[in-house]
Amino acid sequence: MLLLLVLLLLVPRHPMIEARSFGVRYGEEPEQVLRDISFRLAPGERVLLLGSSGSGKSTLVSSLIGLIPHSHEAELQGHIAVQNLPTIHSSPGELSHRVGVVFQDPDSQLTMLTVEEEIAFGLENLGIPPKEMDHRIATALEQVGLGEYRSCRVELLSGGMKQRLVIGAILAMEPDLLVLDEPTANLDPRGAREVSKLLLDISRRRRELAILLVEHRLDEMASLATRVLLLDSKGRLALDLPAREAFGSRAETLRRHQVWIPTESAAALQAGLEPSFGELPLREALEKLAGSLEQDQPGRSGLLEWCQPAKPAPRSPEEPDPVLFLDKITVSYPRASSGGPVLKDLSFSLAAGELCALAGPNGSGKSTLAATAMGLIPPQKGRVFLEGRDLSRIPLRERSRRAGFVFQNPEHQFVTDSVFEEVAFTLRQQGCNDTEIRERTGETLNTLGLGDLARRNPFSLSFGQKRRLSAASMLVAHRKLLIFDEPTFGQDPRALEELLNLLDLLASRNTAVLVITHDMDLIWSRAHRVALLLDGVIALEGTPEDVFAREALLHRGGLIPPSRYHLHKALSPRSHHYEPCHL
C-alpha cells in the first residue's frame, strides 16, 4: 500500500494550464493580439495576469475557456491546453467540467430565480445525483457565506452577494481551475472586499485549486497572488515572477509597463524607496512608510503631494444658477421587488465648472438618478431643470446638444463601424463642416490615446479602449453637462490619467461634470464634491476629505476610504477631523 502511494506521488501531473508559443490574431487585423506566449500553471498556484489596456488579457482568458476559437473567430498558432486538453479542439461546454469562470458582471451569469436553484443549475447539467447535489449546494453556500440565503430570490441580493453566488455555483461543480476576469469591477468597495476575502478563504481550504486572476483593484486582490504574469503592449509575456518580487523589487518595471500596482508599492516608489510588499497589512504598511520619512526629507513632500485630496471647485460669479437641478424628485419602478421608490423626494444640484462624484452601494439608485437627470426616466414627482429650464419642455435634439451621458456599457452607444466615425457622428449631427469634424475628432482621439485606432471597428477594441471611445464621442462636442457612469473601469494608469485630466479640463472650462463611481481613489484625488446616495436620498455631501472622515456612515453605504486617504492622514494627521455619523 505504501509503495502504491509513493508511486502515485511520483507520477507527473499535468499542469492546469500549459501554453507553448501561443498566439492569436483576429480576422483581418495585421498584428497578433497575443504572440509567442509560453507558461505553465501548476495545481494550487494563484496567478495574477497584468497588462495595459489592449495587451490581450481578455483574449488569453477567452482562449482558455474555449470562447476562442469556438465562439469568436480567430487565427491561432502554437499550443494552449487545460489539464492536457487542447482548447482549440474543446468546446466551452467540455472545458466547463475543468474550468470555472467568473466574469465582471455577476448578472450576466445568473439565470435562475432563487439562490438554491442557481447552484443546482450547473449540477443538473453535470448529471449529479439528487442526494449528492443537496450536499454540494449546502457546502458551496457555506463556503461563500450564503447559507442563510438558500431560498432567497437572486434579485434581492446585493452586487457583492451576487458575485459570491456565482463563485459558489462554480465551486459546487468542483473545477480544478478557477479563472476570474475582473470579478470586482462592478462592485462597490465593500462588495469587492467580500469577494477578495472569499477567494483567500477558498484558496486556503482547497489548496489544489489553481486560480488565474485578471484584476485592477490590487489593494484588495494582490495578496491572493503567489505569482505575477505581465503582458506587454504587444501581447508578449514580459515578466513571470513571484508576487512579492513583482510588487517589491520589480515594481518600477511594472509601473513602466503602465499596469496597476498596489498602493503600498506605488507609495514607496513615489517616496524614492524600494518597495517591500506583503510584510504588513496595507494600512499598517502605509503608516510605517509615513513614519519612516523625516519632515524635511524630499521623499516625504513628494509623497504628500501625491496623496493630496482634490480642492473644492471655484464658484463662477457669472453663472450663479446650477447647470443641473433636481427638485424633490421621486422615481419608482412599478415592477420592482422592493415596492418602494428608488429615489425619494431627492434634491440635487450641479454647478458649472464642478466635478462631482456620485457614490453609493450597488443598487442605491445612482444610475437611475443619472438617467432621470438626462430625461431618460421621467420622475413621478418633482422636476428636473437644465440651465434653468424644465427638462421636460426642452426638445430632445436640443437636450442632446446641451448634455451628454457616457453609459457604463460602452457598446450600448456605438452606432458606426469605425472609431473615427463614432466620434465624428455627434459633430455631423450638429452640422459641423468637414474640416472642423476632421480636426476636432482627430484631436479628441489623440488626447485619449485612440489616434492609431481610428480605422478600427469599435467592437474590435479592448474593453478599456471601448470605454475611452464612448467618452470621446461625448467629449468632442462642447456640452454644458456631462455625466459619466463608472468611467475608470478597465483603464490602465496612462489612459486613466489622460481621461481624468480631460475631465479636469472640462470642469476648468465651465462644464458641469457628474461622475458615478465606485473608484474611491478618483473621488479622493479629483472630485470637487462628493454626494453619497443611500436609501433613495442624498445622505451626505461635502469635500472628499470631509466625506471620508465619516467612516461609519461610509461603511453603511458599502464604501471604504481609499488607501491614499489613510496615507495622507498618516503624513498630516492634524489636517484630519472626524464628525459623528448621522443623517
Side-chain angles (χ1 to χ4, degrees):
M1 185 70 179
L2 180 61
L3 178 60
L4 178 60
L5 180 61
V6 171
L7 289 173
L8 287 173
L9 291 172
L10 291 176
V11 173
R13 292 183 295 176
H14 294 302
M16 288 295 168
I17 299 174
E18 183 175 26
R20 297 194 304 268
S21 301
F22 181 66
V24 177
R25 185 173 68 85
Y26 290 118
E28 302 300 320
E29 295 298 326
E31 300 290 335
Q32 288 182 309
V33 179
L34 293 173
R35 61 186 74 191
D36 200 29
I37 301 293
S38 297
F39 72 94
R40 283 185 162 203
L41 192 153
E45 278 197 287
R46 304 189 301 272
V47 174
L48 178 64
L49 179 64
L50 299 178
S52 60
S53 179
S55 61
K57 302 185 297 296
S58 293
T59 296
L60 182 56
V61 167
S62 295
S63 300
L64 285 170
I65 62 178
L67 292 179
I68 293 176
H70 301 287
S71 297
H72 309 318
E73 290 187 11
E75 177 186 311
L76 307 186
Q77 72 171 38
H79 170 82
I80 191 165
V82 174
Q83 289 186 311
N84 210 37
L85 188 67
T87 63
I88 192 172
H89 301 307
S90 310
S91 69
E94 293 172 306
L95 289 167
S96 68
H97 293 258
R98 302 167 185 249
V99 185
V101 60
V102 178
F103 292 115
Q104 299 155 356
D105 181 7
D107 287 319
S108 70
Q109 292 185 262
L110 297 171
T111 58
M112 307 305 288
L113 293 177
T114 71
V115 168
E116 180 178 21
E117 291 170 345
E118 192 64 47
I119 302 285
F121 180 72
L123 300 178
E124 290 170 348
N125 287 332
L126 293 179
I128 303 299
K131 188 174 182 180
E132 182 183 350
M133 186 184 300
D134 187 70
H135 173 71
R136 285 203 194 187
I137 291 172
T139 301
L141 290 176
E142 180 186 353
Q143 284 182 320
V144 298
L146 294 176
E148 62 185 279
Y149 295 92
R150 182 165 179 160
S151 60
C152 181
R153 291 180 67 87
V154 171
E155 66 190 65
L156 300 180
L157 301 180
S158 70
M161 293 168 74
K162 286 180 178 178
Q163 196 66 292
R164 282 155 51 197
L165 175 57
V166 170
I167 294 171
I170 290 168
L171 290 176
M173 298 168 70
E174 299 182 352
D176 297 312
L177 171 63
L178 188 58
V179 177
L180 304 110
D181 189 1
E182 301 270 11
T184 69
N186 290 332
L187 303 183
D188 57 46
R190 183 169 60 196
R193 181 165 288 184
E194 289 174 0
V195 170
S196 173
K197 289 180 178 179
L198 170 63
L199 292 173
L200 278 170
D201 184 55
I202 290 169
S203 67
R204 294 187 186 107
R205 293 188 192 186
R206 293 191 56 189
R207 295 192 176 276
E208 292 296 295
L209 178 68
I211 296 176
L212 180 68
L213 171 68
V214 180
E215 184 57 74
H216 281 110
R217 281 170 127 161
L218 297 189
D219 282 351
E220 296 293 344
M221 303 294 277
S223 59
L224 176 69
T226 57
R227 180 176 161 203
V228 172
L229 300 180
L230 170 68
L231 296 177
D232 67 16
S233 60
K234 300 294 185 182
R236 300 169 298 206
L237 189 59
L239 282 179
D240 182 352
L241 294 170
R244 285 204 170 191
E245 182 181 351
F247 295 130
S249 60
R250 302 297 295 276
E252 177 58 37
T253 301
L254 294 179
R255 189 163 71 167
R256 285 201 304 269
H257 279 272
Q258 289 300 313
V259 299
W260 295 106
I261 58 177
T263 301
E264 177 183 352
S265 304
L269 292 175
Q270 198 67 31
L273 305 174
E274 181 174 296
S276 58
F277 175 74
E279 297 177 1
L280 293 170
L282 176 58
R283 197 160 171 176
E284 291 180 31
L286 295 176
E287 290 171 352
K288 181 180 178 181
L289 173 63
S292 70
L293 300 171
E294 301 292 337
Q295 287 290 341
D296 58 350
Q297 195 169 337
R300 184 184 182 91
S301 59
L303 188 59
L304 184 58
E305 179 65 26
W306 179 71
C307 63
Q308 283 287 340
K311 303 300 181 186
R315 291 291 181 178
S316 171
E318 299 177 4
E319 297 189 55
D321 294 329
V323 174
L324 174 67
F325 179 45
L326 309 182
D327 184 19
K328 298 181 179 179
I329 65 167
T330 294
V331 178
S332 301
Y333 295 113
R335 298 181 181 178
S337 57
S338 63
V342 179
L343 304 176
K344 309 170 188 175
D345 199 32
L346 180 147
S347 293
F348 173 79
S349 65
L350 185 64
E354 187 176 27
L355 198 165
C356 178
L358 180 64
N362 288 103
S364 61
K366 300 184 298 296
S367 295
T368 298
L369 187 152
T372 304
M374 291 297 299
L376 302 177
I377 298 175
Q380 280 81 45
K381 296 181 181 178
R383 293 194 294 173
V384 179
F385 294 91
L386 181 62
E387 295 186 277
R389 297 171 59 189
D390 189 324
L391 187 66
S392 64
R393 299 183 178 182
I394 301 177
L396 183 60
R397 182 178 290 273
E398 181 183 354
R399 190 188 307 170
S400 67
R401 288 199 300 266
R402 294 175 178 272
F405 187 14
V406 180
F407 293 110
Q408 189 169 0
N409 188 332
E411 293 185 355
H412 290 172
Q413 291 184 250
F414 296 157
V415 294
T416 72
D417 60 2
S418 82
V419 168
F420 182 91
E421 287 301 324
E422 194 64 40
V423 177
F425 179 81
T426 300
L427 300 179
R428 296 192 197 285
Q429 293 296 106
Q430 293 184 356
C432 298
N433 62 54
D434 289 345
T435 300
E436 185 179 5
I437 289 172
R438 186 170 58 253
E439 290 176 353
R440 286 171 60 179
T441 299
E443 180 184 1
T444 303
L445 290 175
N446 289 331
T447 299
L448 291 177
L450 298 171
D452 293 338
L453 306 174
R455 296 184 179 181
R456 288 271 296 272
N457 188 299
F459 293 93
S460 72
L461 304 179
S462 73
F463 192 86
Q465 291 165 344
K466 289 175 182 175
R467 292 307 304 264
R468 298 205 301 279
L469 177 57
S470 65
S473 66
M474 292 294 113
L475 295 172
V476 72
H478 303 309
R479 293 179 166 95
K480 285 290 188 178
L481 169 67
L482 284 172
I483 301 177
F484 295 83
D485 196 351
E486 295 290 353
T488 65
F489 166 55
Q491 303 302 327
D492 59 46
R494 177 183 294 155
L496 177 60
E497 187 69 15
E498 290 168 349
L499 178 59
L500 295 182
N501 286 342
L502 193 52
L503 295 186
D504 285 341
L505 179 62
L506 288 167
S508 72
R509 293 177 176 176
N510 256 6
T511 301
V513 181
L514 180 64
V515 179
I516 301 169
T517 186
H518 288 138
D519 188 334
M520 299 295 104
D521 274 312
L522 179 154
I523 291 175
W524 175 253
S525 63
R526 300 289 180 144
H528 301 139
R529 177 167 60 103
V530 187
L532 177 61
L533 185 60
L534 283 178
D535 300 323
V537 300
I538 302 295
L540 180 63
E541 284 187 271
T543 66
E545 197 165 359
D546 290 338
V547 168
F548 286 132
R550 306 279 292 276
E551 292 194 38
L553 185 56
L554 287 178
H555 179 75
R556 185 181 142 207
L559 306 181
I560 300 169
S563 300
R564 290 197 196 195
Y565 164 78
H566 294 299
L567 181 58
H568 187 265
K569 187 167 68 170
L571 289 167
S572 53
R574 294 181 182 178
S575 70
H576 288 261
H577 64 280
Y578 301 91
E579 299 175 7
C581 292
H582 55 81
L583 288 177

